[in-house]
Amino acid sequence: MLNGRFVKVPEMIPELIVPDLKDCNLKPYVSYKAEDVIQSEFTPQQLFDAVYSKKIVIDYKQGKLNADGQPLEPSEEENLQPEEAVQRAKRTGSDIF
């Protein structure tokens, strides 16, 4: 409300984008007969192994580390600042929620 009047803001009106599923063979539900998926919590060690460990091993074997153990050719992920990494983790599509 602005000066006692309702102000319409188009950006604040939800827009539902729904795909056309008329030719889709999949059903819009999950059967009760489906098995439960039990997955453990993704630990920091598993995250490190999934993102960084392979490149670190390759860099070590190829001699691409400096005297301090830092990569001579850092990847995009290795160049991220902590604040940037947190922003990426919180953006739409991440599994943080």
Side-chain angles (χ1 to χ4, degrees), residues 39-52 95:
Q39 184 175 352
S40 63
E41 181 179 336
F42 199 63
T43 66
Q45 181 65 47
Q46 291 169 323
L47 175 62
F48 177 84
D49 292 341
V51 177
Y52 299 106
D95 290 335

Side-chain angles (χ1 to χ4, degrees), residues 5 19 21 39 45 53 57 65-66 68 74 91 97:
R5 295 181 54 206
L21 299 175
Q39 184 175 352
Q45 181 65 47
S53 66
V57 170
L65 298 176
N66 65 16
D68 296 331
R91 71 180 174 197
F97 302 107

Side-chain angles (χ1 to χ4, degrees), residues 5-51:
R5 295 181 54 206
F6 178 76
V7 178
K8 182 177 177 180
V9 179
E11 291 83 11
M12 294 184 72
I13 298 173
E15 178 182 355
L16 299 177
I17 301 172
V18 182
D20 180 14
L21 299 175
K22 71 177 179 184
D23 295 329
C24 182
N25 294 329
L26 299 175
K27 304 296 180 196
Y29 64 88
V30 176
S31 171
Y32 287 105
K33 295 178 185 177
E35 295 182 25
D36 288 339
V37 175
I38 300 173
Q39 184 175 352
S40 63
E41 181 179 336
F42 199 63
T43 66
Q45 181 65 47
Q46 291 169 323
L47 175 62
F48 177 84
D49 292 341
V51 177

